[in-house]
């Protein structure tokens, strides 16, 4: 179900190209300025817990096994087995064939299962295959679907095709939330990021997500800044709120807190909840836990005291 | 013609193969034996110590995974580079109050000490390991393995003492975070410049300069540090540091009166080794 119907590809093209251009130097400077904020003591403790509750704990490897997914689910529900006060994460993100395992493992925890779909990560497959992938994930119990856009079509200027695909996948999702991955590392410019954000939101995305994590660069602060501006402006224009999820390349607590500052200063505190902002990552969780323990015990911790994945 | 302006050197930290300033932005004044200004050195904070431990941990798998022969070759290479910096070391030692012949002798001794330890790289396992006789049809071998990340609080003997505590820690495959002498940190940073241009992988030796009483408790309590050498620990702090180190059962080398010119023996190498014993059936 799309939020609006597309009158013609030409209209969409005119709209996207009518969006104001992004001042790249300005965006980079603004992101760097916000990243220099110092967050300490109680504010830091609160930020760490908030960041943990926003993590989409992810495993997207060809070598994933049911056992690994179960281990990840156990960690999602109880990130630090020795400390029950650590909040649980927002969701577990897996490939569509692992959804069933994850759903079973997470039963009763209140943690959602997100599944990547639509020929992740490249998106190079016929539409029918993408839709079948999506339906299978939803049928297996995925509460959230992370789809990839067709970057080839987007860069070639075929916005109509990208739009129609998102609409079709949104339709196949049913009640599941749809996150649309823009793969900003392949979009080359911030102007493209802004256009792709608006395109995805107009086609019905519940979330816009930076990257698959398979391409470098993955999430960066300037890209996330542009996307946060887009969701803010979109809500002002239409009244509908869309979430944002940077994914990939977020490895340290410092990185995570930089993103939280960026959200607060760009989109505003309305987005500062796991319902509207997520961090797609896996390794960052251990760093968050280590920092949390450092605040609790007063001594630096080490990776030996936390699970590997 | 006007007099040429002096180009003063900024002494920085050495972490992960790079020369960053202290994250705290602080520095302290280093003076010569007569109290005259020589240079500003970085005053490391606990976060620099944390970063150094991360760098050392990252380097551990690669360094300990190299063959002993290769580690030895790299240490010889460091000695060659030390030889090329002889004049600079001599100057820095003279600033600490040594006469020219004394400084020369100390540089000689330091380089010789480094070469001596380099030679041990592929020999220590034969000396510290064993083929154990057991009452069964088994080969039984004990082999020494490096302990991990070693925090080294260097003594105030700025070059010979420094080399004498750092070389034995790394020769067996450990990686180190070294807290340099507080009154005379400059030779440690010059040594770091030597290391950066030799083939030693980044992070194997990390050098911090600053107030020892401030940095050392963070290293002693750090859960990802496996051993600590308290040789240069500030007097009166040793007991507290040992107590902190006990939290994760670090190996602790207590300070002892050392004559750095004497034959060192293997004690400093074996202090940071673990023993792994393997049983293997005979005839398989």
């Amino acid at each position: 179900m799309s939020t609006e119907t597309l009158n013609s590809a030409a209209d969409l093209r005119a709209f996207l190209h009518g969006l104001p251009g992004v001042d790249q130097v300005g965006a980079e400077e603004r992101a760097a300025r916000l990243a220099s904020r110092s967050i300490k003591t109680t504010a830091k403790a609160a930020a760490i817990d908030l960041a943990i509750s926003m993590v989409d704990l992810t495993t997207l490897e060809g070598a994933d096994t049911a056992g690994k997914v179960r281990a990840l689910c156990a960690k999602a529900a109880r990130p630090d087995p020795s400390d029950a006060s650590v909040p649980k994460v927002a969701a577990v993100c897996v490939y569509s064939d692992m959804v069933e395992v994850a759903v079973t493992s997470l039963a009763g925890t209140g943690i959602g299962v997100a599944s990547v779909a639509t020929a992740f990560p490249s998106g190079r497959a016929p539409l029918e295959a993408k839709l079948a992938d999506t339906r299978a994930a939803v049928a297996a119990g995925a509460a959230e679907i992370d789809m990839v856009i067709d970057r080839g079509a987007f860069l070639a200027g075929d916005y109509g095709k990208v739009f129609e695909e998102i609409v079709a996948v949104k339709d196949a999702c049913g009640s599941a939330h749809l996150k649309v991955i823009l793969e900003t590392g392949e979009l080359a410019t911030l102007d493209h990021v802004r256009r792709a954000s608006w395109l995805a939101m107009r086609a019905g995305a519940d979330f816009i997500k930076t990257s698959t994590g398979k391409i470098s660069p993955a999430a960066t602060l300037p890209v996330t800044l542009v996307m946060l501006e887009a969701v803010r402006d979109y809500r002002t224009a239409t009244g509908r709120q869309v979430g944002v999820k940077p994914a990939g390349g977020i490895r340290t607590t410092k990185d995570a807190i930089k993103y939280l500052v960026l959200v607060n200063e760009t989109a505003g505190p309305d987005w500062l909840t796991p319902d509207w902002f997520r961090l797609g990552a896996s390794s960052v969780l251990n760093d968050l836990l280590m920092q949390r323990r450092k605040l609790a015990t007063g001594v630096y911790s080490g990776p030996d005291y936390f699970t590997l994945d | 013609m006007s007099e040429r302006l002096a180009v003063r050197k900024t002494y920085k930290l050495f972490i992960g193969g790079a020369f960053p300033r202290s994250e705290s932005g602080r520095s302290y004044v280093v003076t010569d034996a007569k109290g005259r200004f020589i240079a500003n050195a970085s005053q490391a904070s606990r976060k620099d110590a944390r970063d150094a431990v991360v760098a050392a941990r990252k380097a551990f798998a690669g360094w300990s995974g190299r063959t002993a022969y290769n580690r030895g070759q790299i240490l010889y290479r460091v000695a060659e580079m030390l030889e090329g910096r002889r004049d600079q070391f001599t100057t820095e030692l003279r600033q600490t109050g040594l006469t020219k012949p004394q400084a020369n002798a100390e540089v000689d001794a330091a380089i010789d000490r480094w070469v001596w330890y380099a030679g041990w790289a592929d020999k220590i396992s034969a000396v510290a390991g064993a083929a154990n006789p057991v009452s069964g049809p088994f080969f039984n071998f004990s082999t020494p393995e490096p302990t991990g990340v070693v925090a080294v609080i260097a003594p105030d003997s700025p070059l010979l003492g420094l080399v004498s505590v750092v070389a034995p820690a790394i020769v067996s495959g450990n990686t180190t975070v070294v807290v340099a002498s507080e009154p005379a940190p400059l030779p440690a940073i010059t040594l770091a410049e030597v290391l950066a241009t030799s083939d030693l992988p980044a992070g194997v030796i990390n050098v911090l300069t600053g107030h020892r009483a401030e940095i050392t408790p963070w290293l002693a309590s750090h859960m990802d540090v496996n051993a600590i050498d308290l040789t240069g620990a500030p007097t009166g702090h040793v007991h507290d540091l040992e107590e902190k180190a006990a939290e994760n059962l670090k190996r602790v080398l207590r300070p002892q009166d050392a004559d750095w010119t004497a034959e060192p023996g293997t004690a400093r190498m074996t202090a940071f080794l673990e023993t792994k014993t393997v049983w293997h059936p005979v005839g398989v």
Side-chain angles (χ1 to χ4, degrees):
Chain A
M1 184 183 61
S2 128
T3 50
E4 56 184 305
T5 48
L6 183 61
N7 292 326
S8 76
D11 282 355
L12 181 64
R13 186 183 182 78
F15 170 77
L16 292 178
H17 283 264
L19 288 170
V22 181
D23 168 6
Q24 184 171 341
V25 174
E28 280 164 3
E29 235 160 56
R30 173 89 177 135
R33 178 77 54 90
L34 290 174
S36 68
R37 293 257 173 105
S38 182
I39 311 285
K40 300 288 182 208
T41 62
T42 50
K44 184 174 180 185
I48 288 174
D49 279 5
L50 182 60
I52 292 174
S53 72
M54 285 173 167
V55 167
D56 274 7
L57 200 58
T58 305
T59 181
L60 296 170
E61 304 293 334
D64 283 350
T65 60
K68 185 177 178 195
V69 171
R70 277 195 290 271
L72 200 73
C73 290
K75 186 170 189 179
R78 187 78 184 265
D80 184 348
S82 66
D83 186 353
S85 66
V86 179
K88 61 190 184 199
V89 307
V92 168
C93 184
V94 292
Y95 271 116
S96 48
D97 62 334
M98 287 294 172
V99 170
E100 212 170 327
V101 179
V103 169
T104 316
S105 313
L106 290 172
T109 61
I111 299 170
V113 175
S115 168
V116 295
T118 73
F120 180 93
S122 68
R124 298 254 69 88
L127 181 58
E128 264 322 301
K130 294 183 183 181
L131 294 178
D133 195 7
T134 309
R135 288 193 197 100
V138 174
E144 299 167 10
I145 297 294
D146 289 23
M147 74 167 287
V148 289
I149 64 166
D150 183 341
R151 280 89 73 190
F154 180 88
L155 292 171
D158 193 353
Y159 302 131
K161 181 171 182 230
V162 180
F163 189 95
E164 296 297 351
E165 261 190 20
I166 298 173
V167 170
V169 174
K170 172 75 182 161
D171 191 44
C173 282
S175 62
H177 273 230
L178 177 65
K179 303 198 198 101
V180 177
I181 303 171
L182 309 179
E183 193 62 299
T184 52
E186 292 183 340
L187 295 185
T189 68
L190 291 180
D191 284 339
H192 281 157
V193 172
R194 178 171 282 175
R195 283 178 198 145
S197 302
W198 276 87
L199 173 83
M201 290 187 291
R202 289 188 61 177
D206 298 305
F207 254 81
I208 50 176
K209 174 173 166 183
T210 58
S211 341
T212 59
K214 305 288 182 194
I215 296 282
S216 185
T220 65
L221 288 169
V223 158
T224 311
L225 172 74
V226 170
M227 289 168 64
L228 285 164
E229 285 173 352
V231 295
R232 176 196 66 198
D233 296 347
Y234 184 76
R235 188 176 75 167
T236 309
T238 67
R240 189 169 80 93
Q241 189 165 345
V242 174
V244 176
K245 174 178 171 184
I250 306 163
R251 293 202 178 82
T252 63
T253 300
K254 213 172 209 175
D255 289 342
I257 292 177
K258 284 175 187 173
Y259 280 99
L260 296 184
V261 171
L262 197 65
V263 172
N264 194 50
E265 298 297 324
T266 310
D270 288 358
W271 269 266
L272 221 45
T273 81
D275 291 337
W276 299 110
F277 190 75
R278 297 281 180 83
L279 296 163
S282 42
S283 57
V284 75
L285 183 56
N286 272 3
D287 198 60
L288 286 163
L289 294 174
M290 270 195 269
Q291 292 278 339
R292 203 176 186 281
R293 198 172 285 180
K294 156 75 175 64
L295 289 179
T297 63
V299 304
Y300 286 118
S301 195
D304 287 355
Y305 305 94
F306 300 93
T307 57
L308 287 174
D309 294 303
Chain B
M1 209 173 89
S2 61
E3 200 182 326
R4 184 172 172 269
L5 286 174
V7 180
R8 289 268 169 86
K9 182 165 156 190
T10 309
Y11 287 82
K12 295 192 250 183
L13 306 175
F14 183 55
I15 299 174
F19 290 90
R21 290 183 167 81
S22 167
E23 111 1 276
S24 63
R26 300 173 305 175
S27 60
Y28 73 107
V29 171
V30 179
T31 54
D32 67 10
K34 292 187 179 134
R36 287 172 304 202
F37 174 87
I38 310 175
N40 290 306
S42 291
Q43 187 186 335
S45 68
R46 65 179 169 88
K47 293 192 176 181
D48 296 311
R50 175 199 61 187
D51 292 349
V53 172
V54 170
R57 173 60 62 197
K58 197 173 158 203
F60 179 69
W63 181 241
S64 59
R66 283 174 190 254
T67 61
Y69 173 72
N70 183 234
R71 277 201 299 274
Q73 280 191 314
I74 291 173
L75 295 188
Y76 277 122
R77 171 76 180 155
V78 172
E80 289 169 20
M81 306 301 277
L82 280 169
E83 193 69 50
R85 292 271 193 150
R86 166 178 287 281
D87 291 348
Q88 191 178 350
F89 282 117
T90 311
T91 309
E92 282 170 355
L93 288 178
R94 290 191 66 191
Q95 286 169 336
T96 67
L98 300 187
T99 63
K100 194 166 184 184
Q102 282 171 331
N104 270 325
E106 174 144 351
V107 173
D108 285 345
I111 297 172
D112 291 351
R113 180 64 44 84
W114 194 280
V115 171
W116 189 81
Y117 274 117
W120 272 105
D122 53 3
K123 298 170 189 72
I124 187 71
S125 68
V127 173
N132 312 307
V134 290
S135 64
F138 297 99
F139 292 122
N140 185 287
F141 302 108
S142 292
T143 48
E145 303 213 329
T147 296
V149 174
V150 181
V152 177
I153 307 169
D156 280 336
S157 165
L159 185 60
L160 182 57
L162 176 73
V163 163
S164 301
V165 295
V166 173
I170 64 165
V171 67
S172 58
N174 295 299
T175 56
T176 56
V177 176
V178 181
V179 181
S181 159
E182 189 169 331
L186 305 189
I189 297 301
T190 305
L191 175 67
E193 288 169 7
V194 168
L195 300 173
T197 52
S198 62
D199 295 326
L200 193 76
V204 173
I205 297 178
N206 302 278
V207 180
L208 303 174
T209 57
H211 296 335
R212 281 182 290 212
E214 179 194 352
I215 310 166
T216 51
W218 292 100
L219 290 171
S221 66
H222 200 304
M223 299 294 278
D224 203 27
V225 172
N226 305 106
I228 188 162
D229 177 349
L230 297 175
T231 301
T235 38
H237 290 246
V238 174
H239 183 74
D240 175 54
L241 293 175
E242 280 190 83
E243 225 169 61
K244 286 190 159 73
E247 185 61 33
N248 70 334
L249 305 177
K250 284 180 189 66
R251 287 193 181 279
V252 175
L253 190 60
R254 288 189 168 142
Q256 45 220 294
D257 281 331
D259 171 14
W260 299 116
T261 54
E263 171 91 7
T266 57
R268 288 196 159 267
M269 286 183 283
T270 53
F272 304 119
L273 289 175
E274 310 295 321
T275 300
K276 180 170 82 179
T277 298
V278 178
W279 296 64
H280 191 283
V282 172
V284 176

